[in-house]
Amino acid sequence: MPLFSAPSFAPGQVLTTCKLGLGQMLSWGSAFYLPAILAGAMGESLGIPPSRIFAAFSVALLMMALTGPVAGRLIDRWGGRPLLMATNLLFALGLVLLSQVQTQVQLFAVWLLLGLAMGAGLYEAAFSTSVRLYGKAARGSIVGITLFGGFASTLSWPLTTWLLHSWGWREACLVWAGVQLLVLLPLHASLPRAPARASADAVVPPTGLPAAPAAALRGQWLSLVLLALTFAAIWFIGTSMMSHLPRLLMVSGASATAAVAAAALVGPAQVASRIADYAFLRRAHPLWSARIAVTAYPLAALLLAVFGAPGAWAYALAFGLGNGIMTVVIGTLPLAMFGAQGYGQRQGLLMVPARMTQASAPFLFGLALEQWQLGALWVLMLAASMAATALWCLRPKQV
């Protein structure tokens, strides 16, 4: 089995990882997870159905897809510190404007701005920042960042709910804007500056791929396509569950209380799987972690289909375990296969299809759930099969 070296942490790397991880936990909570809590109140205040709020959110997800490659290229050139600081300002501005919207046009315009901030400031940006600073030694940092990120919904959903009931949805947006300005902006300002790379642009063509013979380049493009297909399928599954997991469990026969309680296990399961992956598989090529983790999706679907409501807890645990590792793999597998050179832009390009499927997932899986009830699990099985096939077609190359 090919090995992926796991060097010791560089001086200051642990502290930087904690800063990036905390930044991700609060940034995901202050934007991406807001509609799940605020959509109802926002729709009632604006006189529109909550589905219109999610439509605006889907537009933001499309903007994320378009922003990723550009943000990655900027991080490759200048490092992540200035870009992450800029996204804090964008997040804060967007949240302040969101608190003031009165019309649908304003709502969609503000979510476009927030989509720009999310595309340049969430996971891929943090991963790229770490790789820019530490090269291939960033694998441990990527795991650490996702450990923090795994608690984003655990922190943000209860806090946003409390803010909503205590003051209102507009005030909740203003509080999160304050978090961006008063907590995250100084936090990201304290990140180390990226070392200069005077010759980087001379060896990295516009595609973000290292210079290579034509045959090797063709092989890289095939691997890139397979990775993009894998990530798109995984993000479709993950976003579908983030939007509809309690409802899916209730369709299986679980009560509303049991469904919510079971769904709450996903976060801790994700964190546990990431710790286990780093503890036992950190020297293995990330492709093997991905191949193992992707089996959790059909296993979870099988448990729910066979056992119904009694299988709800097992489904949530199995899904969380697999999804936790796959989130890490999205950052570590391209690093292992293609190296650190041009990582940011390459990562942005790889995630474009994933962001597109992410934007469509809540609507498409919701429609499948409405039409086919528990038969909607076949949609997840199909997506998981696509990801598994693509992963087994890949070869565990290492740069």
Side-chain angles (χ1 to χ4, degrees):
M1 179 185 299
L3 296 181
F4 183 97
S5 61
S8 301
F9 282 111
Q13 187 174 353
V14 172
L15 179 59
T16 298
T17 300
C18 291
K19 291 177 180 179
L20 288 170
L22 180 60
Q24 289 302 295
M25 181 172 67
L26 294 177
S27 289
W28 280 89
S30 64
F32 194 92
Y33 287 117
L34 285 186
I37 304 300
L38 301 183
M42 291 175 67
E44 183 179 353
S45 173
L46 298 174
I48 58 177
S51 60
R52 205 69 54 81
I53 307 298
F54 283 102
F57 182 60
S58 293
V59 169
L61 297 181
L62 292 175
M63 176 59 77
M64 286 180 68
L66 299 175
T67 304
V70 178
R73 182 65 174 174
L74 291 174
I75 293 174
D76 286 339
R77 185 173 180 83
W78 304 108
R81 179 177 174 271
L83 186 65
L84 289 173
M85 292 172 64
T87 62
N88 295 140
L89 298 175
L90 283 177
F91 273 124
L93 175 61
L95 289 164
V96 170
L97 293 176
L98 186 62
S99 74
Q100 304 300 314
V101 298
Q102 301 294 335
T103 67
Q104 291 187 56
V105 173
Q106 293 173 353
L107 177 71
F108 277 78
V110 170
W111 272 109
L112 274 174
L113 178 62
L114 287 170
L116 178 64
M118 289 191 292
L122 293 185
Y123 267 153
E124 287 77 45
F127 296 162
S128 299
T129 299
S130 184
V131 171
R132 182 66 174 80
L133 289 169
Y134 305 112
K136 290 178 65 176
R139 183 179 181 181
S141 293
I142 291 172
V143 176
I145 290 166
T146 60
L147 290 179
F148 280 89
F151 289 108
S153 61
T154 305
L155 170 71
S156 68
W157 280 345
L159 177 57
T160 303
T161 300
W162 178 77
L163 292 170
L164 172 64
H165 293 155
S166 299
W167 291 320
W169 71 267
R170 296 183 187 275
E171 289 75 10
C173 292
L174 290 174
V175 170
W176 281 115
V179 169
Q180 288 287 338
L181 287 177
L182 301 178
V183 178
L184 296 185
L185 182 59
L187 183 75
H188 288 146
S190 69
L191 289 171
R193 296 178 184 273
R197 280 190 174 178
S199 62
D201 291 336
V203 297
V204 183
T207 59
L209 294 172
L217 197 58
R218 284 195 296 271
Q220 285 190 336
W221 277 112
L222 176 60
S223 297
L224 285 167
V225 170
L226 291 172
L227 278 178
L229 176 63
T230 300
F231 295 167
I234 295 306
W235 275 90
F236 179 87
I237 296 172
T239 306
S240 295
M241 291 300 93
M242 184 183 69
S243 305
H244 298 290
L245 180 55
R247 183 182 169 197
L248 174 65
L249 298 182
M250 285 188 283
V251 165
S252 74
S255 67
T257 302
V260 172
L265 293 175
V266 171
Q270 290 186 138
V271 173
S273 68
R274 291 164 186 168
I275 294 174
D277 176 61
Y278 190 69
F280 300 110
L281 294 175
R282 69 176 180 270
R283 288 189 173 275
H285 195 288
L287 185 55
W288 293 103
S289 296
R291 289 170 174 173
I292 294 170
V294 78
T295 63
Y297 297 117
L299 175 61
L302 182 64
L303 290 169
L304 193 62
V306 171
F307 296 105
W313 298 82
Y315 178 90
L317 282 172
F319 167 75
L321 290 171
N323 205 60
I325 295 176
M326 289 305 299
T327 304
V328 176
V329 165
I330 284 173
T332 58
L333 185 51
L335 177 62
M337 295 192 68
F338 305 112
Q341 189 77 14
Y343 176 91
Q345 186 183 24
R346 186 187 302 113
Q347 193 72 356
L349 291 170
L350 282 171
M351 292 303 295
V352 169
R355 295 300 186 192
M356 296 292 186
T357 59
Q358 184 182 42
S360 65
F363 170 75
L364 292 179
F365 190 76
L367 183 62
L369 198 56
E370 181 180 326
Q371 296 294 322
W372 303 325
Q373 299 293 296
L374 207 56
L377 287 171
W378 284 106
V379 177
L380 302 183
M381 293 280 282
L382 176 61
S385 298
M386 291 173 57
T389 301
L391 286 170
W392 280 104
C393 288
L394 283 167
R395 293 293 175 262
K397 296 180 294 183
Q398 181 171 307
V399 178

